[in-house]
Amino acid sequence: MRKHANNEVGAVQPIREISDAVRAWADEFGERGKQGLTDGILIHTDACQSVGKIHVDVNDLGVDLLSMAGHKLYAPKGIGALYVRGGAKGLDGDGDFRLQRIMHGGGQELGLRAGTENVGLAVGLGTACRMLCQDQQESMTEQMRQASLIRSLHVQLQAKFIGQIHLNGPELPASPINGAWPRLPNTLSIGFRGLKAQEILGKVQDVVSASAGAACHSSNIPKISSVLAAMQVPEDAALGTIRFTVGRYTTEDEINRAAEAVADAANELFKQSV
């Protein structure tokens, strides 16, 4: 399994290239059985961060399974979906592969998960997905608007702290490169060298809602995340890393106020550290 987009720094992973490489290796070096080793290789990607933020197509990615979360695309919390190529009866449609039950009891959800379905949440997810797909041009326009906001925040902070801001992950362009974003257009992960992220956030919590690293892994104990460690981000920048995200309702004025508040807090802490 590989995440389509990293939840901490926003980098979009080359899932298609990974999928092709794995299957090419199997074709060349694997011992072929009745169907061939490649036929038995299943590729799953966690697309919770990317669905609703950038264009996602299972055929373009070359995956057999893809998971998504509703609250990441303005659907209700508590609902998600798993795409399975070929449906629940099998990836190749003839039943040779079957998903295993995760809850036993009733036969709900094609016998895979027992328990009465939450129809309201399911309808909410379906409606959110349908709205996203109705106007592809509007979706691209919104992606570019969010990218502009994120780039503005980065530029403003970088200008105030020359040499003291470390960008985690690839640069964010103003528009997709060859039709694809190298990172999520709504995500910015930057490290303030020599500062602690929790201390900055503590000073701006009434103005800015952001997180030290990934929101789902936050704690009060300063530590370098496994993602930043794997990226070999310098320790002084990793401990000061803050993840900012924007959404459909974020305005330019809010970005400017956030940049000012974060800059004031960081300036105060830098002065205290001298």
Side-chain angles (χ1 to χ4, degrees):
M1 182 187 78
R2 172 71 66 170
K3 289 182 179 179
H4 184 206
N6 183 268
N7 60 307
E8 288 192 42
V9 301
V12 178
Q13 307 296 329
I15 299 300
R16 181 73 206 206
E17 288 82 351
I18 293 172
S19 173
D20 289 345
V22 168
R23 291 189 167 113
W25 178 89
D27 276 340
E28 184 173 356
F29 298 105
E31 292 184 8
R32 288 185 170 275
K34 183 178 180 181
Q35 293 182 320
L37 183 61
T38 304
D39 295 327
I41 291 179
L42 306 178
I43 306 294
H44 167 262
T45 189
D46 174 351
C48 291
Q49 286 292 334
S50 55
V51 172
K53 299 182 179 73
I54 59 176
H55 178 72
V56 177
D57 187 304
V58 292
N59 293 319
D60 291 344
L61 296 176
V63 299
D64 304 296
L65 304 103
L66 179 146
S67 50
M68 56 183 287
H71 69 280
K72 295 293 185 179
L73 56 138
Y74 298 96
K77 288 185 177 181
I79 185 72
L82 174 67
Y83 163 82
V84 181
R85 188 177 295 279
K89 291 185 177 181
L91 295 179
D92 55 7
D94 62 7
D96 287 342
F97 168 81
R98 285 195 63 84
L99 294 172
Q100 299 300 308
R101 287 173 177 262
I102 60 172
M103 292 182 67
H104 293 267
Q108 291 88 353
E109 299 194 42
L110 302 177
L112 297 175
R113 184 185 187 279
T116 302
E117 298 95 335
N118 190 320
V119 177
L121 293 186
V123 171
L125 176 58
T127 300
C129 291
R130 184 172 64 251
M131 292 174 68
L132 277 171
C133 296
Q134 281 178 342
D135 191 338
Q136 295 295 319
Q137 184 57 50
E138 189 278 333
S139 294
M140 178 54 66
T141 300
E142 176 59 22
Q143 291 170 31
M144 294 176 66
R145 188 191 74 87
Q146 293 183 18
S148 176
L149 294 176
I150 284 295
R151 284 162 58 88
S152 174
L153 178 60
H154 184 209
V155 167
Q156 290 186 59
L157 293 175
Q158 202 169 36
K160 295 177 184 293
F161 303 102
I162 297 175
Q164 295 172 303
I165 296 291
H166 183 278
L167 174 65
N168 302 316
E171 292 280 352
L172 178 63
S175 59
I177 299 175
N178 296 324
W181 293 98
R183 70 182 298 147
L184 294 177
N186 80 317
T187 302
L188 175 66
S189 173
I190 54 174
F192 293 81
R193 290 182 178 275
L195 300 183
K196 299 292 189 295
Q198 288 88 348
E199 294 179 357
I200 300 174
L201 293 174
K203 291 181 175 296
V204 301
Q205 58 184 346
D206 293 334
V207 182
V208 180
S209 180
S211 62
C216 52
H217 295 106
S218 61
S219 72
N220 294 322
I221 303 174
K223 61 180 180 180
I224 299 175
S225 76
S226 59
V227 171
L228 298 182
M231 294 171 60
Q232 299 183 340
V233 174
E235 182 177 354
D236 65 334
L239 291 174
T241 287
I242 297 178
R243 184 188 71 161
F244 300 94
T245 58
V246 298
R248 284 182 169 267
Y249 308 108
T250 307
T251 66
E252 185 176 353
D253 179 63
E254 288 173 330
I255 289 296
N256 294 336
R257 287 191 284 122
E260 183 178 0
V262 172
D264 289 345
N267 260 325
E268 182 180 341
L269 292 170
F270 274 128
K271 291 177 181 178
Q272 294 174 4
S273 65
V274 175

